[in-house]
Amino acid sequence: MRRWLFADQLGPHFLDDPDQPVLLVESTRVLARRRFHRQKAQLLLSALRHRARELGERCDHRIGATYGEVVADYGEPLEVPDPSSWPARRFVTDLPGVTVVPTAYTATSRDDFATWADGGGTGTGGRRRLLMEDFYRWQRRRFGVLMDGDSPVGGRWNFDHDNRQPPPRRPHLDLPEPWSPSETEVDAEVREHLERLERDGHARFRGADGPRRFAATRAEAGQALDWFVRHRLADFGPYEDAMLAGDWAMAHSTLSPALNLGLLHPLEVVAAAEQAYRRGEAPIASVEGFVRQVLGWREYIWGIYWWAGEDYADRNALGARTPLPRWFDDLDADAVGAACLSDVLAGVRDRGWVHHIPRLMVLGNWALQRGYDPRALTDFFHESFVDGYAWVMAPNVVGMSQYADGGLMATKPYAAGGAYIHRMSDYCGGCRYHPSHRLGDDACPFTAGYWVFLDRNAEALAANPRLRRPLAGLARLADRAAVTAAEHHRGPGPP
Ligand code: SF4
């Protein structure tokens, strides 16, 4: 049967048989409905069209206004791997003549995750908290990753103590740059197509155009993985949470776009990292930190997305309702004086990608402090990041970053003042604000914003034991009213 593949199902593992006929569909309405980053649209269409070329005559590549328009009257039965979002899943399930087959997108199926979360086989009758650390150890054991028999390699499950250090006192980690592709004629064709759509009013993008930076084919993804493992993996751990204004990628793999396009399978990525350790080419702390991201965090996010249900993305436990201001939504970095926020917005504008700490502790932290609407923020992340998809962004934004699920994923909100950013980056030295000042002309908007966040949510967070000390600190703050008034006066404009 012909297999219909979505644009995030492009690797060989989405086909049972390498000779199977394939249908690939481009929907122009998807681009009209959302305001994607220009480079994200480029990557997605480039990947889809490269795949169509690779498959040659076996592939029927169609462009239509909607998926339904192409698929509803297709004229032959189709099967499709289970899609990666609730709306897409509902859509394909309701289509006559289409059979949904299991997907090979992740190592953990929805049923696997439910078994773990509901305490299947453990006799617990369900978990009180879905702790990532528990899930991660379960994953390591069942896939036999970084294991010596029943014990974790290196004698410990967790090397966070060795990892997650502040950045070194130099502007750059001095590693080889992340792998990047040479554009092909397919990219040129896609670029022209997107320019035409925008010119004719059929699409509106955000962010800057630029050369494609991430893998769009299986071969490119393999090269990117190999390059990372050989040149950058060994340094991943120590600085995985650090930020340097002059080093956009630090030692990160930048493989998330290829993984999320389905060009790589997570288990092959993890295996490549483990082999580097076994060959003595990378230390256990870096390899464990990387495996934790791919086999732990990424799969956990996928599991939460399905397990928590379709309405998860609409949760808003803290009642945050502020609309995203124009400067934020437009990635207008030049309007922002706060050095950290300006640089991170510029990174998103120019590349559609920044690593997990700028996402969580600068953009997410800012939005949490200012009470941005979590649903609107989820859409912003989904559309602005080259690796953003519904399943990735709902748990990451609603759960991790905005605490809008009321604590299902995170044990406390990821709110932090300027001291955290000062410790983990080199931003503050060149900033007009002072990270430890909460009042006055040079009051750091993150430091003041932290107290205002606690002040606004003190009642809602009072029962959280991890916030007992911060809330006690708030109660003792002599200038609490003045800080709140000053931040209110700062208003919704760029800081
Ligand atoms: Fe960001 Fe505050 Fe540091 Fe400026 S002083 S870079 S606003 S944390």
Side-chain angles (χ1 to χ4, degrees), residues 276-346:
Y277 166 73
R278 303 261 182 205
R279 289 194 302 265
E281 293 168 5
I284 184 62
S286 281
V287 173
E288 189 281 320
F290 180 69
V291 166
R292 171 178 293 270
Q293 295 295 334
V294 178
L295 193 63
W297 273 112
R298 185 172 181 276
E299 301 268 318
Y300 174 75
I301 291 290
W302 169 262
I304 290 276
Y305 177 75
W306 295 108
W307 184 84
E310 194 165 2
D311 59 355
Y312 183 81
D314 293 316
R315 294 197 195 179
N316 192 353
L318 296 178
R321 310 247 178 260
T322 308
L324 268 54
R326 190 73 177 267
W327 58 269
F328 188 95
D329 205 35
D330 285 351
L331 305 171
D332 189 1
D334 298 337
V336 178
C340 55
L341 188 55
S342 176
D343 187 64
V344 172
L345 278 178

Side-chain angles (χ1 to χ4, degrees), residues 195-413:
E195 279 165 9
R196 198 169 47 246
L197 284 179
E198 194 167 32
R199 211 172 38 239
D200 297 346
H202 298 310
R204 202 163 67 93
F205 298 111
R206 55 157 69 93
D209 194 7
R212 178 164 64 80
R213 287 176 186 275
F214 304 98
T217 67
R218 169 79 183 165
E220 288 182 351
Q223 289 170 28
L225 172 60
D226 187 53
W227 180 265
F228 169 67
V229 169
R230 279 197 290 130
H231 299 294
R232 298 166 56 80
L233 170 63
D235 293 277
F236 173 76
Y239 303 123
E240 66 174 300
D241 281 3
M243 302 176 277
L244 286 171
D247 195 339
W248 68 274
M250 302 295 282
H252 287 266
S253 71
T254 70
L255 291 171
S256 54
L259 275 162
N260 292 357
L261 284 165
L263 293 170
L264 294 170
H265 191 276
L267 287 179
E268 69 179 317
V269 171
V270 161
E274 176 164 5
Q275 283 157 17
Y277 166 73
R278 303 261 182 205
R279 289 194 302 265
E281 293 168 5
I284 184 62
S286 281
V287 173
E288 189 281 320
F290 180 69
V291 166
R292 171 178 293 270
Q293 295 295 334
V294 178
L295 193 63
W297 273 112
R298 185 172 181 276
E299 301 268 318
Y300 174 75
I301 291 290
W302 169 262
I304 290 276
Y305 177 75
W306 295 108
W307 184 84
E310 194 165 2
D311 59 355
Y312 183 81
D314 293 316
R315 294 197 195 179
N316 192 353
L318 296 178
R321 310 247 178 260
T322 308
L324 268 54
R326 190 73 177 267
W327 58 269
F328 188 95
D329 205 35
D330 285 351
L331 305 171
D332 189 1
D334 298 337
V336 178
C340 55
L341 188 55
S342 176
D343 187 64
V344 172
L345 278 178
V348 184
R349 177 194 65 198
D350 297 341
R351 291 180 287 272
W353 187 95
V354 294
H355 73 73
H356 66 148
I357 294 300
R359 295 187 201 204
L360 182 67
M361 299 311 294
V362 179
L363 296 177
N365 186 18
W366 175 264
L368 177 68
Q369 292 183 356
R370 264 61 201 175
Y372 289 178
D373 178 84
R375 179 77 218 204
L377 188 70
T378 305
D379 289 342
F380 166 86
F381 272 92
H382 178 163
E383 292 163 14
S384 304
F385 281 82
V386 287
D387 54 9
Y389 292 83
W391 72 268
V392 181
M393 290 310 180
N396 266 309
V397 176
V398 171
M400 275 296 287
S401 140
Q402 301 302 294
Y403 202 69
D405 66 2
L408 177 72
M409 280 181 68
T411 51
K412 72 178 179 70

Side-chain angles (χ1 to χ4, degrees), residues 163-222:
N163 294 338
R164 311 190 161 189
Q165 296 172 23
R169 290 186 179 278
R170 54 180 197 267
H172 200 279
L173 290 187
D174 299 325
L175 299 175
E177 287 291 306
W179 178 91
S180 66
S182 301
E183 288 202 357
T184 67
E185 60 185 37
V186 174
D187 290 294
E189 182 192 288
V190 168
R191 184 163 280 112
E192 208 179 292
H193 173 67
L194 293 175
E195 279 165 9
R196 198 169 47 246
L197 284 179
E198 194 167 32
R199 211 172 38 239
D200 297 346
H202 298 310
R204 202 163 67 93
F205 298 111
R206 55 157 69 93
D209 194 7
R212 178 164 64 80
R213 287 176 186 275
F214 304 98
T217 67
R218 169 79 183 165
E220 288 182 351

Side-chain angles (χ1 to χ4, degrees), residues 338-341 417-419 421-422 427-428 431-435 444-447:
C340 55
L341 188 55
I421 295 172
H422 186 37
Y427 285 130
C428 299
C431 185
R432 68 162 69 151
Y433 301 112
H434 194 290
C444 168
F446 281 90
T447 300

